[in-house]
Amino acid sequence: MIGRTVVLTITAGKRSMGTVTGAAVRARVAVATVFFTNGFVFANAVPRYPEIKDDLGLSHTALGTAIAAMPLGALVIGLLASPLIKRFGSAWTAVVALALLGVNVVFIGTAPGFALLCAALFIAGSLDSITDVAMNAHGMRVQRLYGRSILNFFHGLWSVGAVLGGLAGAGAAQAGIPLPVHLAVAGALTVGAAAMAFRFLLPGPDDAEREAAADDAGRPAVRGGIGWPVIRLLAVLGLLSGAAAVVEDSGSSWGSVYLRGELGANAAVGGLGFAALQGAQTVGRLLGDRVVHRLGDRDTSRLGGLLVVTGMGAALLWPSVPSTLAGFALAGLGIATLIPAAFHAADEIPGLWPGAGITVTAFLLRIGFLLSPPLVGVVADASSIRLGLVVVPLAGLVILLTSGILEGRRPARG
């Protein structure tokens, strides 16, 4: 039943590929704007953490505790995304949460004490997780109108926005721009972008395109109950996306530490581990829709899992700075399309509220981000970071084993 629903939806969309309306094009630009802005806004604050720490007189432990409030907020409040989408729609939910995130980022830079900083970061994580689910749900609506994969490009723009936001934050710090002024400008740009995007997002209920696709195919939309098959499917999709999170976190949390501490790289080269993974992931996302359109989500994800296993596996077997940088790059390229693929599969499960599948998958994904750093750290303390990073090729094996649940190559004709 689940597989049939997916095929029906995509087949109908495929027929309309040559007749994409102007409204669909404008909605695509609007969704792209939301993705880019979501990546951009909070990244402005990250390079200014040292100033926040000094201004509030925080210890390293206190700052780390405050930062941890953000993923905690995402996990605790993020599950409200689906009820909000059901009540207000994905367009309204995405832009309002994004605009509030733009306002909240100002409070991160102006919090007068530790407790309020924790509260601001908790709210930031909550709003970011709601925006994440809602903008992906709306991106899926636009993708159905196009009848082909476009979701990976949205995620690529998010990565571009995050990079540019980080550069803007670093530049503002270097120029000595006061923190409240800098973040107020970033917040105002975010609110403005959200307001403009809302004008061109798709109106109507979030199931409209799915039901229209079923009508075009001459069959009623398939509905199903929420039983153990659906729960198992969501669990496997969560495992797949969580494995991708483990791979992604390896570069950001441990790349520099491993390169500098165990491979003897200097400070400049040490930072390239994160850049190699994120850069390759961004390129893979920007180009990934063409690959997915040709191979399908299933084979693309299997190829990605193979890149993770072979790339980081070889880098850990024969450790050196060049092999490690290449390994991180191949790992980033391997996971580029995985999270969009998992969201796509979750959103096509029948019998769920709009956005519910993405909400659950995103929740399990964030658990992967939360558990990965301490897991590697425990192994590193007991042995070495090199052994701790074995979780990366193991995550690649999980990706290979779970990719079969994803959709295969899309049929050329209905």
Side-chain angles (χ1 to χ4, degrees):
M1 294 290 285
I2 292 172
R4 179 177 296 175
T5 304
V6 175
V7 171
L8 286 176
T9 301
I10 292 169
T11 301
K14 184 74 175 180
R15 291 173 180 167
S16 63
M17 280 181 64
T19 58
V20 176
T21 65
V25 174
R26 290 190 292 272
R28 181 179 183 176
V29 175
V31 172
T33 300
V34 173
F35 269 83
F36 176 88
T37 308
N38 179 247
F40 174 82
V41 57
F42 185 79
N44 273 267
V46 174
R48 311 207 71 168
Y49 278 166
E51 294 173 64
I52 295 174
K53 174 179 176 294
D54 292 340
D55 290 344
L56 298 181
L58 302 179
S59 65
H60 294 298
T61 300
L63 179 63
T65 302
I67 294 173
M70 187 170 181
L72 180 62
L75 287 173
V76 173
I77 307 298
L79 290 175
L80 295 178
S82 180
L84 288 172
I85 292 171
K86 182 186 178 184
R87 175 66 178 84
F88 300 106
S90 59
W92 186 93
T93 302
V95 297
V96 170
L98 179 61
L100 290 175
L101 181 60
V103 174
N104 180 75
V105 77
V106 180
F107 292 102
I108 295 174
T110 58
F114 171 73
L116 290 178
L117 176 63
C118 290
L121 288 168
F122 181 91
I123 294 172
S126 305
L127 293 170
D128 179 70
S129 63
I130 293 172
T131 305
D132 185 24
V133 173
M135 69 185 184
N136 274 283
H138 206 83
M140 288 299 306
R141 290 187 64 184
V142 179
Q143 179 167 279
R144 292 186 190 102
L145 292 178
Y146 270 76
R148 57 184 171 87
S149 177
I150 60 174
L151 194 62
N152 291 289
F153 187 76
F154 292 148
H155 282 255
L157 286 179
W158 184 95
S159 298
V160 173
V163 171
L164 293 180
L167 291 175
Q174 181 66 29
I177 298 176
L179 188 58
V181 174
H182 163 220
L183 295 184
V185 172
L189 291 174
T190 299
V191 173
M196 288 189 295
F198 183 68
R199 296 180 55 197
F200 302 107
L201 294 175
L202 297 173
D206 280 83
D207 275 338
E209 292 73 30
R210 183 183 286 111
E211 292 172 354
D215 290 341
D216 289 344
R219 303 177 185 180
V222 179
R223 298 292 179 186
I226 305 176
W228 280 112
V230 171
I231 294 174
R232 287 195 297 268
L233 178 57
L234 286 172
V236 175
L237 290 173
L239 183 61
L240 173 65
S241 58
V246 170
V247 176
E248 183 174 346
D249 180 78
S250 67
S252 58
S253 294
W254 298 104
S256 177
V257 179
Y258 175 58
L259 284 163
R260 295 185 63 183
E262 296 192 11
L263 299 182
N266 58 36
V269 175
L272 293 181
F274 170 74
L277 190 147
Q278 289 293 329
Q281 184 184 47
T282 300
V283 172
R285 284 176 167 175
L286 293 175
L287 302 178
D289 289 317
R290 295 183 180 183
V291 179
V292 170
H293 184 61
R294 180 177 295 273
L295 300 180
D297 283 327
R298 182 188 305 142
D299 288 344
T300 302
S301 296
R302 284 172 173 165
L303 177 61
L306 186 62
L307 288 176
V308 173
V309 172
T310 56
M312 281 304 294
L316 295 173
L317 285 173
W318 297 284
S320 69
V321 171
S323 67
T324 300
L325 293 178
F328 278 128
L330 288 174
L333 189 63
I335 63 171
T337 66
L338 285 177
I339 294 174
F343 284 173
H344 175 209
D347 196 56
E348 295 292 348
I349 299 174
L352 298 178
W353 293 343
I358 298 177
T359 298
V360 175
T361 304
F363 177 81
L364 297 174
L365 163 71
R366 293 177 188 273
I367 291 178
F369 278 116
L370 189 65
L371 295 181
S372 177
L375 175 62
V376 176
V378 168
V379 177
D381 284 339
S383 178
S384 65
I385 300 177
R386 179 187 173 192
L387 184 60
L389 288 175
V390 169
V391 299
V392 178
L394 289 178
L397 287 175
V398 172
I399 293 169
L400 283 171
L401 293 173
T402 55
S403 292
I405 202 169
L406 299 175
E407 179 195 357
R409 187 174 182 273
R410 299 182 177 185
R413 300 180 61 185

